[in-house]
Amino acid sequence: MNFSLPDFRRKWSCRGYMSASAAMVTAALGLTLVLTERAEARKYAAPLDIFGLGTPRPRAKVHSAKIPLPRPRPDEAPKASDEAPPEEEGKSSADKPADSKPAQAARSPEKQASACRLALTEDIAIAPSIPDIRGPGACGGEDLVRLEAIVLPDKRKVTVKPAAILRCTMASAIADWVRKDLVPLAASLGTSITDLDNFDSFECRGRNRIAGAMLSEHGKANALDVRAIKLANGQLIGLTDRTTSHDVRERVLHSVCARFSTVLGPGSDWYHEDHIHLDLAQRRNDYRICQWNVWDPLPQVAPLSPAERPEEAPPREVAAKPEAKEGADGEAAEKSSAPEDKPTTGKKAHRPKPATKKRR
């Protein structure tokens, strides 16, 4: 029986068994490594596992802790029915029990007074504050007052008729103008000022009441129209009245143009022929407008009534007698000559036709 090495390998080859056993050993080693890694992963979280969704972590052991009980209430402590301390009073309604009454709506914090409001005291003007006005568009404003009267240094009052709704700054400017400019003017005339004629103050409208025009300063409560000033002696100084003294109106012109940023009167446009417009409009580079022509007084015309009868003239009855005699003599002469003019015959006298004028 002949055996060769190639035949032996072909018949009794163990390469297949060796490869299968090697694969089994490799699988066993891999499974062991995987189990070991998982065991280690349970102890330490994965570095990229941010939300802890990977391998679960072992729970720590819960140790029971003894909670200390509160001490007994002392006898001298106040009862629970007593008033709550101030800290508890300030708590919100959410901390109160549900069976308590519904709490009122929290009040909005009070608005702090402006510097103008603090300066405009009752010694300067009677001007109570009013709520802010939020009208259509940009109408309205903040820090508003109702200017009712201006208090003079001698405690007398100049009434604003009717009361004007203005911003505090505008009301303060009007009060300073009356106290520092108009009072000396009235004193130079030997009297004092009592009333200020308010023609218009706050009104939500366009300029000159034109529809679609730019918002007027009246709509911002930043303007006042003045028509006249009344004095204690009953005299009324009309600022646009040409019969008023030219010097007085000139002094008023210089005073308002020095205090207000806009002054409109006669000569500016036909909307301001019967009053003076004053406002504190803010413009670029502090630009001011002063358009008010103080017209000269109107020329005097002859009176409609006849002049007074001179003292040396004769009485009216005596002066009228000669005229009556002359009239009577004339009537008699006409009657005597009337029959001679009548025709002697019964036929009607021929009368020439009057000449007709040509129409143009």
Side-chain angles (χ1 to χ4, degrees):
M1 190 174 185
N2 296 327
F3 294 95
S4 61
L5 183 58
D7 295 336
F8 177 79
R9 289 180 177 179
R10 180 175 57 82
K11 292 182 179 181
W12 306 96
S13 175
C14 60
R15 184 178 298 176
Y17 297 101
M18 292 177 66
S19 59
S21 60
M24 293 178 62
V25 171
T26 303
L29 291 175
L31 182 61
T32 304
L33 293 175
V34 170
L35 294 177
T36 305
E37 289 179 359
R38 288 198 176 184
E40 292 293 333
R42 290 179 181 270
K43 295 181 181 181
Y44 306 101
L48 299 178
D49 190 7
I50 300 175
F51 301 100
L53 300 178
T55 55
R57 299 180 181 180
R59 294 184 179 181
K61 296 182 179 180
V62 180
H63 300 282
S64 60
K66 295 182 179 180
I67 301 175
L69 298 176
R71 296 180 180 181
R73 187 180 183 85
D75 298 335
E76 61 274 10
K79 296 181 180 180
S81 61
D82 294 346
E83 296 181 359
E87 296 179 358
E88 296 182 1
E89 293 179 358
K91 290 183 179 180
S92 59
S93 58
D95 299 338
K96 296 182 180 180
D99 56 348
S100 61
K101 296 181 179 180
Q104 297 180 355
R107 296 180 180 178
S108 58
E110 295 184 0
K111 189 177 181 180
Q112 294 182 356
S114 63
C116 174
R117 177 69 269 183
L118 296 176
L120 193 64
T121 61
E122 294 183 354
D123 296 335
I124 298 177
I126 306 301
S129 299
I130 62 175
D132 299 343
I133 297 178
R134 304 294 183 186
C139 284
E142 300 177 353
D143 196 17
L144 304 180
V145 299
R146 185 174 63 252
L147 184 61
E148 300 174 357
I150 300 164
V151 182
L152 302 181
D154 57 0
K155 303 304 179 183
R156 288 181 297 178
K157 296 180 181 178
V158 178
T159 307
V160 180
K161 293 184 178 180
I165 297 177
L166 302 169
R167 293 189 182 186
C168 180
T169 52
M170 185 63 185
S172 179
I174 294 293
D176 290 343
W177 172 53
V178 172
R179 287 164 58 92
K180 298 180 181 179
D181 294 341
L182 296 186
V183 169
L185 176 63
S188 65
L189 301 176
T191 181
S192 59
I193 181 173
T194 58
D195 297 334
L196 186 68
D197 186 6
N198 168 27
F199 187 63
D200 191 16
S201 57
F202 170 73
E203 185 180 357
C204 185
R205 60 176 175 82
R207 291 182 179 178
N208 300 324
R209 293 185 173 86
I210 298 176
M214 186 179 296
L215 181 65
S216 171
E217 291 297 317
H218 287 281
K220 305 175 185 178
N222 197 33
L224 180 69
D225 289 346
V226 182
R227 188 162 45 185
I229 301 168
K230 188 176 181 180
L231 304 179
N233 59 3
Q235 182 181 359
L236 190 67
I237 298 179
L239 301 183
T240 60
D241 188 3
R242 300 178 71 170
T243 61
T244 306
S245 172
H246 185 277
D247 180 61
V248 171
R249 289 180 289 143
E250 193 79 23
R251 292 175 62 180
V252 176
L253 167 65
H254 293 308
S255 66
V256 293
C257 288
R259 291 184 175 275
F260 300 95
S261 59
T262 306
V263 178
L264 299 176
S268 60
D269 51 41
W270 69 275
Y271 297 101
H272 301 89
E273 293 296 323
D274 58 348
H275 66 276
I276 306 301
H277 171 91
L278 309 173
D279 68 45
L280 290 177
Q282 295 181 356
R283 300 183 183 89
R284 188 177 301 175
N285 299 327
D286 196 20
Y287 180 72
R288 291 171 174 265
I289 297 176
C290 183
Q291 297 178 355
W292 176 10
N293 294 334
V294 180
W295 303 118
D296 294 330
L298 293 173
Q300 295 183 357
V301 296
L304 299 178
S305 59
E308 295 182 0
R309 185 178 182 83
E311 297 179 357
E312 60 274 9
R316 296 182 182 276
E317 297 176 358
V318 176
K321 285 182 179 181
E323 297 177 358
K325 290 181 179 181
E326 293 177 359
D329 296 341
E331 291 177 0
E334 290 177 0
K335 289 180 179 180
S336 61
S337 62
E340 297 178 357
D341 296 338
K342 293 181 179 180
T344 55
T345 60
K347 295 181 180 180
K348 294 183 180 180
H350 177 71
R351 295 179 180 178
K353 295 182 180 180
T356 58
K357 296 181 179 181
K358 295 181 179 181
R359 296 182 179 179
R360 295 181 180 178

